[in-house]
Amino acid sequence: MLEIQSQPRITLPLRLLPASPTPPPSVLLLDHRFPRRRFPRVRCCSGGGNGGSTKPQQLQQRRAYPFDEIEPRWQRYWEENRTFRTPDDDLDMSKPKCYILDMFPYPSGAGLHVGHPLGYTATDILSRYKRMKGYNVLHPMGWDAFGLPAEQYAIETGTHPKVTTMLNIDRFRSQLKSLGFSYDWDRELSTTDPEYYKWTQWIFLQLLKRGLAYQAEVPVNWCPALGTVLANEEVVDGVSERGGFPVIRKPMRQWMLKITSYAERLLEDLDDLDWPESIKEMQRNWIGRSEGAELEFSVLGSDEQEQGLKLLVYTTRPDTIFGATYLVVAPEHFSLSSLVSKEQEKYVEEYRELAARKSELERTDLQKEKTGVFTGSYAKNPATGEPIPVWVADYVLGSYGTGAIMAVPAHDSRDYEFAVKYKIPIIRVVEPAGTSFDLDGPYVDDGVLVNSSNMSSDLNINGLMCKDAATKVIDWLERTGHGSKKVNYKLRDWLFARQRYWGEPFPVIFLNETGELIPLPESELPLTLPELEDFTPTGTGEPPLAKAKTWVNTIDPISGKPATRETNTMPQWAGSCWYYLRFMDPKNSTALVDKVKERYWSPVDIYVGGAEHSVLHLLYARFWHKVLYDIGVVSTIEPFQCLINQGLILGEVEYTAYRDKVGTLLSADSVSDVGEYTQERIPVEKVTKAGDFHVLKDDPSIQLISRSYKMSKSRGNVINPDDVVSEYGADSLRLYEMFMGPLRDSKTWSTGGIEGVHRFLARIWRLIVGAPLPDGSYREGTVVTDSKPTLEQLRFLHKCIDKVSEEIQETRFNTGISAMMEFINAAYKWDNHPKPIVEAFILLLSPFAPHMAEELWFRLGHSCSLAYERFPMAKSEYLKDSSIVLPVQINGKTRGTILVDEECSEDEAFKLASLDEKLSKYLHGKAIRKRIYVPRRILNVILDQQKVHA
């Protein structure tokens, strides 16, 4: 028999719910018989868009089940009873823990669309499951609320960013609660709260103390229209990602964080993380470790004599030094002005101005045509002794290596393209080993060195393989003083300043007399933002905070001397770098996080979020965590042990037809790449399927293009979860998003799909509660029986338990739901539905559809929430298809049955009988004379002179 065992748990009486399912007066519920609007399908016309809200298309007279009564009631119960609160000071740390975290959202004015709850539902299922498995679960939610969008809205409307942010947070919170997520709302935090960013500022001070924060004059992406510096990823094709404004490269004094000091550790520690391999590879590529050499090229004068100026270059291929036929310096190289001849000065300056308008991503795009200008100078190749020209070209970055390269066009694709364009000599110095060399273009693989010997420089690497030649060249560079071995990284120090108002103020001041930088004492934290009414850019590069004169002009609290505050603010990344730690101890006013709590909860066991954050946010957070580890604040070397990237939910399939220039419809398979065509969206009701293609109903010869797109307001394909919940209920939305396909894959939204899941939930409801009464209402209790489960029922149940348990743990939620569907299909064929079977199934359902599960649990007579009930465990004896029911006799009289495998031995059968609750009372303490066992037929136990009572 199935046993539903309770575990020690936090339980509260269902004081919100009366004995009957009639809702209490304090909860506003809608009559399920009242006509309600249907959830609108995506409109077929393009453009415009209003966040997915469209006019209702038809009315529904009756709900499939009364979710509109159930869901508000249980959300109210959970909130008022703080069902999912994780105890703080009174936490039982002897229990295992599981910290499950969503990448916390930026609360935009648009609110959620149905793509957002995908990851949130997955973490909620895992959190509910782990609670029911006896874990202390930490599952919090908060807001990454500083940032450019709120500031831009403030500039446009005059509304203070704080006001906009709070309204957006309220909207997001309301939407999340409407979906029944089991967050511990007592731990809610916002990065804009001074009590939170006090500790962001504290972390900055620790970085400053350790020389990991510094100021430097660096070229930045400056957007005059937005009045701020943008990160590389915020610039697309030379314009700002937000607003599409022109961006230029401009040298500015900026705060930098020395993340490069941790490059090697950030790289090495990836190996031990349970992350997608693709994400780890992205971080490895971003860090970009390479081994090579730094070497010096002496700049020559017009008389070809060394002038004392040396160009330091970095190369990963020192073996190709004899093939270096020119040098390239970046447009922002600090020595460029010293290299430019008078004749070339005008051309170089024009080129520098053009390069300043390009982002680093544009400059390094391999598909872009390479451009450059000759500086007028030459340098001496130390291996050949020959003069080679020095060029300036924007495909070399000042931020990588030394900002200068030796160009070997025979063995590098970029250098080859450049050399061909500008007619620079190409000397091949590497050939494939053991084969003839006849290649049109650069040879970039390993091989044997040729044309690589010079007696004057005492260097000969002819005949060596590339690796051995590189080692010999480095030895020669170090022996002759021309260079040395060098490990380099593509990773650059983190640009950590923004010319914005809506961000964390830097806790530093500058003495007016000397300009000396003074960190604020920790006792002065938090340094809060001043109130401003004008958030517009100054136009000079000076941040908006410079307008707050009374705030900017201050006094050094130590010396009493006049001082000026820093008017840049920290980037949005700052607050999101460490929020996972504050969730462990959100009310602590004396420390960032309590050491005991941090040791218990760290690291985050499961971290779920979009792949778009997998490099920058995660890299920055890992960097800060390692600094905090070094100073003893945290006990683990990594913050996030397991990372899961959920896929996108795309908008519903759109159907497109082609028309030629005279307006005739054309089949998609007949349209060529050459010709003038227009595209036209076709409404779904005019489309039908023909084989593998979609065609027009009225003209099946017209084949259509069917495609799904990422949800966006501009396409008008955004689905608002509020509308879905109104029409189908939160449980249907949760279940559908998990049923659409594997969590990590992208999926296409389908209103027809959610209708199917909604019908499945209605079948569960009717199976347990019964059919609706004539007036459309439902009985108060259930139709569940007190009968003993049959072997068939137990087998179906335990196979379902086994499958659902495994699939939850492996985050294969779609197949777990399929197992529950198979169980319900089988259950509809039974004559009765025993209570132990139904109770166990409700517990299986509860992580996926918690509102319905709570209601059914209550209707079965339970007075406490099921949130902490023990999750059912599958019994192996019911999982074997070869199991049989074996009668057991005591002294020849049948006293019960046991479930055994067909090949069960006599000893195994007797052991199972001894463990059976009913049979054990006849056998415990009795002397056994003999056992009679007929395999697959009977077990008869003969007791020694004992009287057996009926």
Side-chain angles (χ1 to χ4, degrees), residues 75 78 102 104-105 112 116-117 120-121 124 140-143 169-183 185 188 721-722 730 734 851:
Q75 290 165 17
W78 293 329
D102 298 296
F104 70 166
L112 298 176
H116 294 112
Y120 302 156
T121 303
D124 193 60
M141 176 51 70
W143 318 105
I169 286 174
D170 290 344
R171 166 91 168 127
F172 265 64
R173 187 192 303 111
S174 173
Q175 288 185 294
L176 292 176
K177 287 185 176 182
S178 76
L179 294 169
F181 297 135
S182 60
Y183 294 121
W185 288 106
E188 179 184 6
D722 297 349
R734 292 167 58 108
H851 305 90

Side-chain angles (χ1 to χ4, degrees), residues 255-560:
W255 280 103
M256 309 290 293
L257 297 187
K258 200 174 289 186
I259 190 173
T260 49
S261 297
Y262 283 73
E264 195 65 31
R265 288 168 61 181
L266 289 168
L267 196 60
E268 289 178 354
D269 294 342
L270 281 170
D271 293 339
D272 297 327
L273 296 177
D274 181 15
W275 288 17
E277 191 57 40
S278 60
I279 301 304
K280 292 200 280 188
E281 192 60 26
M282 286 172 66
Q283 289 218 355
R284 292 187 185 105
N285 292 337
W286 191 268
I287 295 167
R289 185 184 192 276
S290 62
E291 293 185 3
E294 279 187 349
L295 55 156
E296 292 179 338
F297 286 74
S298 296
V299 177
L300 304 176
S302 57
D303 56 358
E304 295 191 3
Q305 298 299 310
E306 297 182 13
Q307 300 294 300
L309 176 64
K310 296 182 183 295
L311 274 178
L312 186 67
V313 308
Y314 172 77
T315 179
T316 59
R317 295 290 305 272
D319 55 304
T320 63
I321 188 171
F322 283 93
T325 58
Y326 67 103
L327 300 182
V328 182
V329 297
E332 56 272 16
H333 193 282
F334 65 93
S335 295
L336 180 56
S337 57
S338 302
L339 297 170
V340 180
S341 67
K342 192 170 186 62
E343 295 77 15
Q344 293 296 107
E345 189 173 1
K346 173 186 174 183
Y347 305 110
V348 170
E349 189 56 36
E350 289 175 351
Y351 186 78
R352 290 180 69 173
E353 291 178 5
L354 287 172
R357 299 192 183 103
K358 298 181 183 179
S359 69
E360 289 189 359
L361 293 177
E362 283 184 281
R363 288 170 55 179
T364 55
D365 186 351
L366 294 178
Q367 306 305 316
K368 296 272 187 179
E369 182 181 2
K370 304 299 177 291
T371 62
V373 174
F374 177 46
T375 65
S377 292
Y378 291 82
K380 180 181 177 181
N381 183 325
T384 66
E386 298 293 326
I388 58 177
V390 181
W391 287 69
V392 57
D394 62 11
Y395 75 88
V396 175
L397 302 177
S399 59
Y400 179 67
T402 64
I405 65 165
M406 69 174 201
V408 185
H411 306 291
D412 181 274
S413 298
R414 295 182 312 167
D415 297 345
Y416 179 84
E417 181 184 338
F418 192 91
V420 168
K421 179 177 180 178
Y422 293 106
K423 298 180 174 53
I424 300 173
I426 299 173
I427 300 174
R428 289 174 174 165
V429 295
V430 181
E431 292 185 351
T435 63
S436 60
F437 186 43
D438 184 15
L439 179 68
D440 182 19
Y443 177 71
V444 297
D445 295 325
D446 287 344
V448 179
L449 271 296
V450 296
N451 302 322
S452 298
S453 174
N454 187 331
M455 294 186 62
S456 298
S457 61
D458 191 26
L459 179 61
N460 181 2
I461 52 176
N462 279 330
L464 296 179
M465 297 299 292
C466 287
K467 185 176 180 181
D468 295 332
T471 300
K472 187 170 182 179
V473 170
I474 290 172
D475 290 343
W476 173 80
L477 289 171
E478 293 179 339
R479 186 177 73 251
T480 60
H482 290 302
S484 62
K485 184 177 181 179
K486 178 73 173 178
V487 174
N488 204 10
Y489 302 90
K490 284 198 301 184
L491 181 67
R492 300 293 89 205
D493 280 347
W494 177 5
L495 179 59
F496 196 70
R498 298 292 184 269
Q499 288 66 50
R500 302 175 187 165
Y501 166 73
W502 195 232
E504 298 93 336
F506 283 95
V508 298
I509 58 175
F510 301 90
L511 295 182
N512 290 352
E513 289 182 1
T514 62
E516 180 186 357
L517 185 152
I518 306 291
L520 284 182
E522 293 177 11
S523 59
E524 295 283 315
L525 302 182
L527 172 61
T528 58
L529 282 169
E531 291 295 326
L532 273 186
E533 295 182 359
D534 179 11
F535 314 102
T536 57
T538 60
T540 64
E542 208 172 18
L545 272 179
K547 299 176 182 180
K549 299 299 184 183
T550 56
W551 181 85
V552 172
N553 298 314
T554 186
I555 299 295
D556 177 13
I558 304 299
S559 66

Side-chain angles (χ1 to χ4, degrees), residues 32 93 164 177 197 273 323 349 355 415 451 471 601 644 679 708 722 752 801 855 864 871 899 906:
H32 66 276
M93 292 189 178
T164 305
K177 287 185 176 182
Y197 70 70
L273 296 177
E349 189 56 36
D415 297 345
N451 302 322
T471 300
W601 287 116
I644 298 174
Q679 293 186 1
S708 296
D722 297 349
I801 292 172
E855 178 71 15
C864 295
F871 199 82
L899 189 70
E906 178 181 329

Side-chain angles (χ1 to χ4, degrees), residues 664-683:
T664 304
L665 279 172
L666 303 174
S667 183
D669 58 349
S670 67
V671 174
S672 66
D673 293 333
V674 181
E676 295 182 15
Y677 309 101
T678 58
Q679 293 186 1
E680 178 180 328
R681 290 274 292 275
I682 304 298

